[in-house]
Amino acid sequence: MATIELINISKTFGSGLGQVTALKNVNFKADKGQLILILGPSGSGKSTFLTILGSLQTPSSGQVKLNGLDLAQLSSRQQEKIRLEKIGFVLQAYNLVPYLKVKDQFNFVSRIKKSNNLSSAKLNALLAKLEIADLVDKYPANLSGGQNQRVAIARALYTNPEIILADEPTAALDSHRVEEVGLMLHDLAQKENKAVIVVTHDLRLRKHADSIYQITDGILTKEA
C-alpha cells in the first residue's frame, strides 16, 4: 500500500472561456523511504499538484489516498488532524509567524501539536545542520531569504511527519546549501523512513532523488 497516492486527479479553475485545467488525469504514488522530485517550469501545475497531495485543496475529480484512506471521505476537522500529524509542509512563502522569534516558531507549533515532535537535542542538531542555530533570537524580518527558507525547513521537520511536501525548498539557497539540503532530504527519506516529495525547477537536486517526474501543462510523467 502506498503511503500517499493520487488516482486520476484533475483540477480545473474558472468556467467557460476562462476555464484553466491545472492537472490532467494525474496518477502518482509515493512510499516511505523515497525522495521524489517533481520537475517542471513555472505554470506547469507543480504547486497545484503539491497542495492537492497535501489536502490543502480538493481536486475537481479523482481520489487522494493516505495509507489507503480516501481523504474525501473525511471531515474537514479530520483532514486538518492528518495534515497536522502526518504531513510537513515547506512552502515558498515560508509561512513563518512574523512577530515570533525563530525559537518561538517551534514553541508555537508545540502548543498546537503537543506530542511526537523532535526532542530539544534533535531540534538543536537540526538547527546546527542547517546553520541557523545562531539565529534563534531573530525575527523573520531580520533574516535573509535563504535563512528564512532554512527556518521553514526546520519547522516543517520539527513535527516529525511521515510525509514531507516541499515547494521549491532550495529556491533561495546557494549551491553549497542546496547540496546540504538535498543530502538531508535524502537521509530523511532513507534513514528516517519518510516519504519526501519535492516540486522544483532546481536541477541541482536531481542527483539526490530516488525517482523523478516531469510535469508539463498539468500532465505528469515519470522519467525512465
Side-chain angles (χ1 to χ4, degrees):
M1 180 190 302
T3 301
I4 194 162
E5 182 176 11
L6 301 183
I7 303 171
N8 298 325
I9 292 290
S10 292
K11 179 66 176 179
T12 58
F13 297 97
S15 59
L17 293 175
Q19 187 176 85
V20 175
T21 300
L23 296 177
K24 302 175 184 177
N25 198 37
V26 167
N27 290 280
F28 173 80
K29 291 182 181 181
D31 292 305
K32 291 179 182 177
Q34 294 182 323
L35 169 57
I36 299 174
L37 292 190
I38 312 295
L39 298 176
S42 298
S44 60
K46 298 193 308 296
S47 294
T48 301
F49 170 88
L50 199 74
T51 53
I52 288 176
L53 197 64
S55 188
L56 292 174
Q57 66 174 316
T58 57
S60 301
S61 61
Q63 292 178 295
V64 182
K65 290 187 175 183
L66 195 154
N67 294 324
L69 188 64
D70 185 349
L71 297 187
Q73 303 302 313
L74 304 180
S75 67
S76 296
R77 180 169 294 183
Q78 288 172 318
Q79 290 188 32
E80 185 177 324
K81 188 173 187 290
I82 281 178
R83 287 194 296 269
L84 181 64
E85 295 180 352
K86 303 289 187 183
I87 304 174
F89 293 94
V90 182
L91 302 176
Q92 286 190 67
Y94 312 137
N95 286 358
L96 300 176
V97 182
Y99 53 82
L100 292 181
K101 293 179 180 179
V102 168
K103 63 185 178 184
D104 295 323
Q105 304 286 337
F106 304 100
N107 295 331
F108 177 71
V109 172
S110 292
R111 291 199 292 271
I112 301 170
K113 182 176 181 284
K114 300 181 185 297
S115 62
N116 197 38
N117 299 318
L118 295 184
S119 66
S120 294
K122 287 187 175 180
L123 175 59
N124 288 336
L126 175 62
L127 297 179
K129 189 170 187 177
L130 289 169
E131 298 180 11
I132 53 175
D134 59 341
L135 304 178
V136 293
D137 287 315
K138 295 185 179 294
Y139 292 95
N142 301 127
L143 302 179
S144 69
Q147 289 169 335
N148 273 313
Q149 183 69 80
R150 283 177 278 147
V151 173
I153 291 170
R155 193 182 64 173
L157 301 183
Y158 174 63
T159 60
N160 195 26
E162 65 179 81
I163 300 165
I164 298 165
L165 303 180
D167 189 359
E168 300 286 4
T170 57
L173 304 183
D174 60 28
S175 293
H176 167 70
R177 292 205 166 97
V178 169
E179 180 70 11
E180 291 293 320
V181 169
L183 286 169
M184 183 180 65
L185 293 175
H186 186 266
D187 284 351
L188 281 167
Q190 298 211 339
K191 295 180 181 178
E192 303 291 335
N193 198 35
K194 300 181 186 299
V196 183
I197 299 103
V198 177
V199 300
T200 185
H201 62 263
D202 192 341
L203 300 181
R204 296 174 294 180
L205 289 172
R206 288 183 68 100
K207 64 181 180 180
H208 301 293
D210 298 298
S211 298
I212 299 175
Y213 290 77
Q214 296 280 347
I215 188 166
T216 306
D217 297 330
I219 299 173
L220 186 72
T221 55
K222 186 176 183 179
E223 289 190 0

